[in-house]
Amino acid sequence: MEDYQERISLLQEMIGFALVDGELHDREYDFIQMVAQELEIDNETLHKLFDKKHEKVVIKDEFNRVLQFYRLALLMHCDGVLHEREQMKINEIGINMGLNPYAMKRVLHLMKNSDSGLIDPQTLLTVFSEQHN
């Protein structure tokens, strides 16, 4: 991801999603912090994002939309509790990103049934690309 504002927007979306159940769990914060490091956003900037509202930037290419959906799904599972609000919100976000609802449902199902809560990257891409045929 090249654009700084896009990276900030992704983190802001993750923070908002993490707070949808009313609290930020330590594991959720740790996960967001790991993603911030991956996106080359320093801790000071990350902490400011918890206090600020940023303008949402639309993710242009499908690969990065799928990647962001998967990050949100991982965030949803990392505290060990699946809240109904989180499930509704992730579907809303995915639809707003233009992702196929069937593919999203299938990915979430695969993650739920996985021992680790993870799915193979190739499987993730295959599930979304199958919907194009």
Side-chain angles (χ1 to χ4, degrees):
M1 182 145 314
E2 296 174 27
D3 183 68
Y4 180 79
Q5 199 55 42
E6 281 182 11
R7 292 180 283 153
I8 293 294
S9 182
L10 293 176
L11 289 172
Q12 190 67 36
E13 184 174 48
M14 291 180 74
I15 290 166
F17 185 69
L19 295 170
V20 88
D21 64 356
E23 62 182 295
L24 180 67
H25 299 274
D26 290 341
R27 293 173 80 184
E28 291 173 324
Y29 175 79
D30 292 343
F31 183 76
I32 292 170
Q33 190 174 35
M34 284 181 3
V35 172
Q37 288 174 349
E38 177 187 318
L39 296 175
E40 299 177 352
I41 304 296
D42 62 85
N43 278 338
E44 183 181 339
T45 303
L46 175 63
H47 292 143
K48 288 178 184 176
L49 295 178
F50 283 91
D51 299 326
K52 284 183 164 180
K53 293 266 185 191
H54 284 274
E55 197 172 298
K56 185 174 176 160
V57 176
V58 176
I59 305 170
K60 294 178 179 84
D61 72 76
E62 184 175 22
F63 175 79
N64 283 315
R65 291 192 310 262
V66 169
L67 181 59
Q68 179 66 358
F69 177 80
Y70 186 57
R71 283 184 191 124
L72 292 171
L74 289 170
L75 182 61
M76 181 172 80
H77 285 89
C78 77
D79 65 357
V81 180
L82 293 178
H83 293 276
E84 185 178 334
R85 284 185 190 170
E86 289 174 327
Q87 292 175 342
M88 290 172 33
K89 187 67 175 175
I90 199 167
N91 284 315
E92 177 187 320
I93 290 169
I95 288 171
N96 287 339
M97 284 194 281
L99 296 177
N100 182 289
Y102 177 75
M104 292 185 311
K105 183 176 180 180
R106 189 158 167 224
V107 165
L108 293 173
H109 178 75
L110 288 169
M111 289 178 75
K112 185 177 181 181
N113 291 331
S114 166
D115 291 335
S116 65
L118 303 172
I119 58 173
D120 176 73
Q122 187 58 47
T123 302
L124 175 68
L125 295 175
T126 300
V127 167
F128 279 96
S129 66
E130 285 174 351
Q131 302 309 308
H132 294 294
N133 296 328

